[in-house]
Amino acid sequence: MPVFSLFLLPFLHSVRIIGHRGDGCSQINCVSEYPENSIPSALHAIKVGADVVELDVWLSKDDELMISHRNNPNGTKDDLFASITPGVGTSTPRPDQFEYKKRNVYPMKAAWSKDKRPRQEYLSDKYNVAYNPIMPLPTLGEYFDAVCPTGKKIVVEMKGDDARLGPRIIAEIERRDVFDCIHAISSFEWNVNNTNPHLADLFEPIRYDTRVQRALLYGGTQKTSNDFILTAAKYYNAHFIHLNCNALDANWQSTINKARAQGLESFCYYGGGIDTYSHFDKAMSYGVDEICTNNPALLYQYLHPQSPKRTK
């Protein structure tokens, strides 16, 4: 796409801003001021321009809906490395070990951008620096209570392999009557037509619930066609295809165009790292409807270059 077109895109194509885990991620090279997935992170993302905030949710050992990206059911570290650090001991609990009733023992870890320890030290479970002031992992209900009154919306990303998760999330939404606050429920954990099926199919128990929109997360790309996700979206009654911004290519461009013709919207996410205008140029050039970013303030400035910066 010609360079001049890229500069015009923000004016020709309006996209929604999604704050990734609120106002960015806590890991190496991210710019988050607050611990990712925390309530202050979500509220700050909204303050600096996010239309929607994204969070990660899984069921704890004692059956509570907890917000965190630590999600691998097999007990290995995921790409977050350590979002919670122990007050005692040398190992952070995995989701099947974490207990809501003990959450004060495991405060949220200080974001790397506030500390900038050497990489290996920061990634170690022995790194025991909690964010100050101390914050425990929030529950999904607490998150709803804080964010929904702002009038902004939430993308709830399901994690893990517990098939009860979707219905439990729906029950929590129903209990607090916040259906209008939910932008979409998303997950990588879906199996029908997925070229890289996961351990669980978390959408299956909720695919007929018309009160919530679903977004199929997929991080890869195929050499020939990515249209399999369109068939899956029809099966799951999905509204969005949710893609990796870095994986966008000519095949995804074709799929995005077909999705739009079928009434589907698309949004892409940038995971760990520092997002730049070049990142946004790429995502915009593919015509996505929404961008999930670690830096919602920067994306707001990109989309509204004449507006005052919203960084405080």
Side-chain angles (χ1 to χ4, degrees):
M1 177 171 287
V3 173
F4 71 86
S5 295
L6 291 177
F7 286 111
L8 289 175
L9 272 169
F11 304 99
L12 299 177
H13 176 59
S14 177
V15 305
R16 288 181 288 270
I17 300 171
I18 303 178
H20 184 231
R21 306 179 199 168
D23 193 23
C25 57
S26 295
Q27 64 207 59
I28 295 292
N29 292 332
C30 285
V31 295
S32 179
E33 179 176 350
Y34 302 98
E36 63 175 57
N37 279 316
S38 67
I39 290 171
S41 179
L43 296 178
H44 189 255
I46 291 168
K47 186 174 182 179
V48 298
D51 305 298
V52 181
V53 290
E54 181 260 1
L55 59 82
D56 303 285
V57 62
W58 42 267
L59 277 170
S60 69
K61 181 179 179 180
D62 48 357
D63 208 37
E64 179 61 72
L65 294 167
M66 302 300 299
I67 309 303
S68 176
H69 191 256
R70 288 293 291 269
N71 63 295
N72 279 14
N74 63 2
T76 61
K77 273 184 180 175
D78 66 10
D79 62 351
L80 177 59
F81 306 112
S83 63
I84 50 179
T85 96
V88 294
T90 59
S91 180
T92 56
R94 309 309 172 193
D96 60 348
Q97 303 166 339
F98 186 87
E99 295 180 74
Y100 163 74
K101 64 185 179 184
K102 296 181 180 179
R103 66 173 177 164
N104 289 328
V105 176
Y106 300 97
M108 301 185 81
K109 188 175 183 177
W112 176 83
S113 60
K114 306 299 281 187
D115 188 287
K116 297 192 177 180
R117 292 289 181 104
R119 181 181 182 87
Q120 292 307 313
E121 181 179 354
Y122 184 79
L123 304 187
S124 171
D125 273 343
K126 295 181 181 180
Y127 177 71
N128 244 2
V129 178
Y131 185 83
N132 185 19
I134 296 295
M135 286 190 288
L137 295 185
T139 66
L140 184 60
E142 290 168 346
Y143 201 99
F144 287 162
D145 289 345
V147 173
C148 292
T150 69
K152 301 299 183 179
K153 293 184 179 291
I154 298 170
V155 171
V156 180
E157 182 177 331
M158 299 187 289
K159 295 290 189 180
D161 63 351
D162 193 325
R164 299 174 301 156
L165 183 57
R168 287 289 305 280
I169 292 171
I170 296 293
E172 189 68 19
I173 295 170
E174 186 172 40
R175 187 165 74 91
R176 283 178 159 75
D177 191 22
V178 291
F179 283 103
D180 288 346
C181 182
I182 307 304
H183 188 56
I185 295 180
S186 70
S187 184
F188 286 103
E189 316 302 328
W190 53 276
N191 290 347
V192 176
N193 298 314
N194 194 340
T195 61
N196 294 299
H198 290 69
L199 294 175
D201 191 338
L202 298 183
F203 279 126
E204 185 64 34
I206 64 170
R207 72 186 178 103
Y208 292 116
D209 197 320
T210 59
R211 297 173 296 176
V212 293
Q213 298 184 140
R214 283 160 289 278
L216 300 185
L217 268 162
Y218 187 79
T221 188
Q222 302 301 304
K223 293 182 179 179
T224 54
S225 173
N226 296 302
D227 289 356
F228 64 89
I229 201 169
L230 302 180
T231 304
K234 183 176 181 180
Y235 173 83
Y236 290 108
N237 300 300
H239 185 80
F240 297 98
I241 54 175
H242 186 172
L243 318 171
N244 185 337
C245 296
N246 289 317
L248 293 177
D249 59 8
N251 287 326
W252 275 123
Q253 180 70 85
S254 174
T255 300
I256 289 170
N257 292 341
K258 292 176 183 177
R260 181 170 292 111
Q262 295 178 24
L264 291 170
E265 293 191 32
S266 59
F267 63 99
C268 71
Y269 68 91
Y270 284 110
I274 298 176
D275 300 341
T276 66
Y277 273 28
S278 293
H279 288 98
F280 303 149
D281 280 344
K282 178 180 180 180
M284 292 289 288
S285 73
Y286 284 90
V288 296
D289 298 288
E290 308 177 346
I291 299 173
C292 185
T293 174
N294 291 304
N295 196 337
L298 188 68
L299 180 53
Y300 182 89
Q301 190 63 30
Y302 173 89
L303 295 171
H304 306 89
Q306 304 305 316
S307 299
K309 291 184 178 180
R310 302 175 70 177
T311 57
K312 300 298 181 182

